[in-house]
Amino acid sequence: QVQLVESGGGLVQAGGSLRLSCVASGRTFSSYTMGWFRQAPGKEREFVGGINRSGSGTDYADSVKGRFAISRDNARNTVYLQMNSLNAKDTAAYYCAADLKGRYWPPTDSNDYAYWGQGTQVTVSP
């Protein structure tokens, strides 16, 4: 069983930045591919970005490429999502997820993720 706890969400003005954190339980965090997803009201959950087990590889949705960055600290069992140049379209609940098998890259399919956090809300005001 893996527990994921996100933090760092909040209200920010357009053009601002936020950094989300996701802490995982367990001693095998370094063996998980990690992903960030988001879901806006009335919309489907969408892939934001993912990072491989070592942190040497990342992938991003086109909508956030160049603005968002994912990193991880395996010693702290933590994955981060740095979000810059935020706009109203980034308003959503953000979820981190753990892919224990890591069979596919890029890890864009939510069905490949076995464990999910509870989500943290990000609201961007105009």
Side-chain angles (χ1 to χ4, degrees):
Q1 190 78 5
V2 177
Q3 292 185 326
L4 303 172
V5 179
E6 302 101 333
S7 62
L11 175 64
V12 63
Q13 288 188 331
S17 299
L18 280 176
R19 188 176 81 156
L20 306 184
S21 300
C22 171
V23 180
S25 65
R27 294 177 288 180
T28 57
F29 176 74
S30 60
S31 67
Y32 311 150
T33 293
M34 296 298 295
W36 285 95
F37 290 77
R38 67 185 181 185
Q39 187 167 20
K43 295 188 176 181
E44 293 185 354
R45 186 172 296 185
E46 65 173 355
F47 173 76
V48 174
I51 188 166
N52 66 4
R53 297 168 181 176
S54 67
S56 62
T58 55
D59 187 73
Y60 301 94
D62 288 343
S63 58
V64 307
K65 203 169 290 183
R67 300 187 298 122
F68 289 13
I70 297 176
S71 60
R72 67 190 296 164
D73 184 341
N74 286 341
R76 297 179 183 272
N77 281 15
T78 303
V79 62
Y80 304 97
L81 179 64
Q82 177 67 43
M83 304 185 294
N84 300 323
S85 301
L86 286 161
N87 59 62
K89 292 181 179 180
D90 297 317
T91 295
Y94 283 72
Y95 301 87
C96 69
D99 173 5
L100 274 59
K101 296 182 179 179
R103 290 178 297 178
Y104 304 108
W105 188 266
T108 61
D109 189 345
S110 61
N111 292 319
D112 290 331
Y113 292 83
Y115 296 98
W116 293 80
Q118 82 288 350
T120 186
Q121 179 67 35
V122 172
T123 302
V124 183
S125 63

